[in-house]
Amino acid sequence: VQLQASGGGLVQAGGSLRLSCVASGSTLDRHVVGWFRQAPGKKREGLGCISNFDGSTFYANSVKGRFTVSADSAKNTVYLQMSGLKPEDTAVYYCAAVGLRIIGLEEYTYDYWGQGTLVTVSS
């Protein structure tokens, strides 16, 4: 599975942005897809994920209520809708996938990673 994350850019604090993760080489129907981010000088952190087995989602407490993960199977794409953005949300955002029914945000469970897209939130 090859993943391509896109949609990053510059946004003002309080604004919204939607990131896309498009897959090629395989469908995402039987995968869990997660979103992660890494800010400068910080460890990569998991944000949210969706199980395309049953549509269930899981979020980190830090973004619960602000970020939403969704999937469009027809487009083989998973989205990360971000709202109420803060300067501390500035980071490179990655999508990742695993072909197992394991929902969670532990990096080591994910086999396939996209290249990342930069989100910058200005104050």
Side-chain angles (χ1 to χ4, degrees):
V1 180
Q2 291 82 47
L3 302 174
Q4 178 82 28
S6 64
L10 176 64
V11 62
Q12 287 189 331
S16 299
L17 205 59
R18 188 179 78 164
L19 306 183
S20 300
C21 177
V22 180
S24 60
S26 175
T27 68
L28 291 177
D29 288 352
R30 298 187 66 77
H31 288 77
V32 170
V33 180
W35 284 94
F36 297 77
R37 70 183 178 190
Q38 188 166 22
K42 294 189 177 181
K43 291 175 57 177
R44 189 154 55 186
E45 67 169 319
L47 304 173
C49 60
I50 186 166
S51 169
N52 286 328
F53 291 92
D54 59 10
S56 59
T57 55
F58 178 80
Y59 296 95
N61 288 334
S62 59
V63 302
K64 197 175 294 183
R66 293 195 301 128
F67 291 7
T68 302
V69 182
S70 62
D72 185 335
S73 60
K75 296 182 178 180
N76 212 26
T77 299
V78 170
Y79 301 100
L80 178 67
Q81 178 69 48
M82 305 183 291
S83 61
L85 285 164
K86 308 172 184 178
E88 51 263 43
D89 293 318
T90 295
V92 177
Y93 284 69
Y94 301 88
C95 60
V98 59
L100 296 172
R101 197 167 184 165
I102 303 173
I103 192 164
L105 296 172
E106 296 293 339
E107 289 184 49
Y108 65 84
T109 65
Y110 290 83
D111 295 323
Y112 310 102
W113 289 81
Q115 85 292 356
T117 184
L118 176 62
V119 173
T120 303
V121 184
S122 63
S123 57

